[in-house]
C-alpha cells in the first residue's frame, strides 16, 4: 500500500515561493505520474501538474509560468515550487499518484498553505 | 484545452434513491475519465477509472458509463454515507482537468 506523506511551509507572504515535498513509501516511481492538486477554500479541485519517473513534466497552462515540479529518485520524493505567490494561491495542496493512464489512486493528506 | 462540465452543481436526494451525475467533455476523450468522491474535510477518493471500472473497495452501488464526450456516475441506492462532492477528471492527456464538482446532499 503506497503512502504519501507531504510537508512544507504553511504560512507565506505575497511574492514568496511555496515549496512542498511528497515522499513515496511502499511503491515504485516507475509507471506512474506524480501529481500536485490544490483546492482553494470552498472551491473545487485544480490540477497543478505532474512528473513521471523519467522527469517528464506537464503543467496546468494557467500556472505554468510559476510552477516547477521535480523529483529525487534516490530519496523517492517529488516536489512542488510555486513562485510569486498571491492570496489567490491560498489552498490545500495535495500530492497524488496516478498510473500512466488511470485515475489518482493514492493521495497525500494535504498541506494547508495560507498566503497573507 | 478540453473543458469538463458537470451537472448538476448540487442535488438533494433521499436515502434509497437512484442518483445520476453527468460529466461532459468539450472534446472527445475516449474513456479516459475518472470519478472521485470527496467527503467534507477529507481527501478525494478514486471511485471509478476508465469511465466504468470500479476501483477496488468501492461499493457496487456506484457505477460509471459513457465514452467520448458524455459520461455519467450513478449511485443505484443512495446511502447516508454518500453525502459528498463528486468530481470527474479527464486523463487522456495534460492538462488533466477536473470538473467543477457536484455536491450531493441527503
Amino acid at each position: 500500500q503506497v503512502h504519501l506523506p507531504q510537508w512544507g511551509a504553511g504560512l507565506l507572504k505575497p511574492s514568496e515561493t511555496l515549496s512542498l515535498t511528497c515522499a513515496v513509501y511502499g511503491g515504485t516511481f516507475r509507471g506512474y505520474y506524480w501529481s500536485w492538486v490544490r483546492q482553494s477554500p470552498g472551491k473545487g479541485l485544480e490540477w497543478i501538474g505532474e512528473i513521471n519517473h523519467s522527469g517528464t513534466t506537464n503543467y496546468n497552462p494557467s500556472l505554468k509560468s510559476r510552477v516547477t515540479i521535480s523529483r529525487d529518485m534516490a530519496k523517492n520524493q517529488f516536489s512542488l515550487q510555486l513562485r510569486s505567490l498571491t492570496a489567490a494561491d491560498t489552498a490545500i495542496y495535495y500530492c497524488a499518484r496516478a498510473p500512466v493512464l488511470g485515475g489518482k489512486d493514492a493521495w497525500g493528506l494535504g498541506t494547508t498553505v495560507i498566503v497573507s | 484545452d478540453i473543458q469538463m462540465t458537470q451537472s448538476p452543481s448540487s442535488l438533494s436526494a433521499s436515502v434509497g434513491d437512484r442518483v445520476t451525475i453527468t460529466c461532459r467533455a468539450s472534446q472527445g476523450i475516449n474513456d479516459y475519465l475518472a470519478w472521485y468522491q470527496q467527503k467534507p474535510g477529507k481527501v478525494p477518493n478514486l471511485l471509478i477509472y476508465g469511465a466504468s471500472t470500479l476501483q477496488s473497495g468501492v461499493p457496487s452501488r456506484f457505477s460509471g458509463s459513457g465514452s467520448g464526450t458524455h459520461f455519467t456516475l450513478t449511485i443505484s441506492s443512495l446511502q447516508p454515507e454518500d453525502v459528498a462532492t463528486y468530481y470527474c477528471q479527464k486523463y487522456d492527456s495534460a492538462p488533466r482537468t477536473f470538473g467543477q464538482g457536484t455536491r450531493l446532499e441527503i
Side-chain angles (χ1 to χ4, degrees), chain B residues 60-102:
Chain B
S60 59
R61 63 180 179 274
F62 291 92
S63 64
S65 66
S67 183
T69 63
H70 184 214
F71 304 88
T72 58
L73 171 70
T74 299
I75 307 173
S76 61
S77 178
L78 188 64
Q79 300 301 304
E81 60 266 32
D82 299 334
V83 169
T85 301
Y86 293 84
Y87 297 91
C88 62
Q89 184 200 21
K90 64 177 277 299
Y91 58 85
D92 61 318
S93 62
R96 306 190 200 275
T97 309
F98 289 93
Q100 80 277 20
T102 296

Side-chain angles (χ1 to χ4, degrees), chain B residues 44-63:
Chain B
N45 181 50
L46 177 65
L47 297 176
I48 287 168
Y49 62 93
S52 61
T53 302
L54 207 62
Q55 176 73 351
S56 177
V58 173
S60 59
R61 63 180 179 274
F62 291 92
S63 64

Side-chain angles (χ1 to χ4, degrees), chain A residues 25-81:
Chain A
Y25 292 126
T28 175
F29 250 71
R30 288 185 179 274
Y32 296 96
Y33 271 105
W34 303 92
S35 311
W36 292 95
V37 175
R38 72 179 183 179
Q39 186 168 36
S40 300
K43 302 296 184 182
L45 302 172
E46 181 180 23
W47 182 81
I48 297 171
E50 64 192 9
I51 190 167
N52 68 6
H53 72 277
S54 62
T56 300
T57 54
N58 295 302
Y59 299 125
N60 186 323
S62 68
L63 299 169
K64 186 173 184 177
S65 63
R66 299 194 290 132
V67 172
T68 300
I69 296 175
S70 58
R71 90 269 189 258
D72 185 332
M73 298 281 285
K75 293 184 178 179
N76 252 26
Q77 295 174 358
F78 62 107
S79 298
L80 169 70
Q81 281 197 331

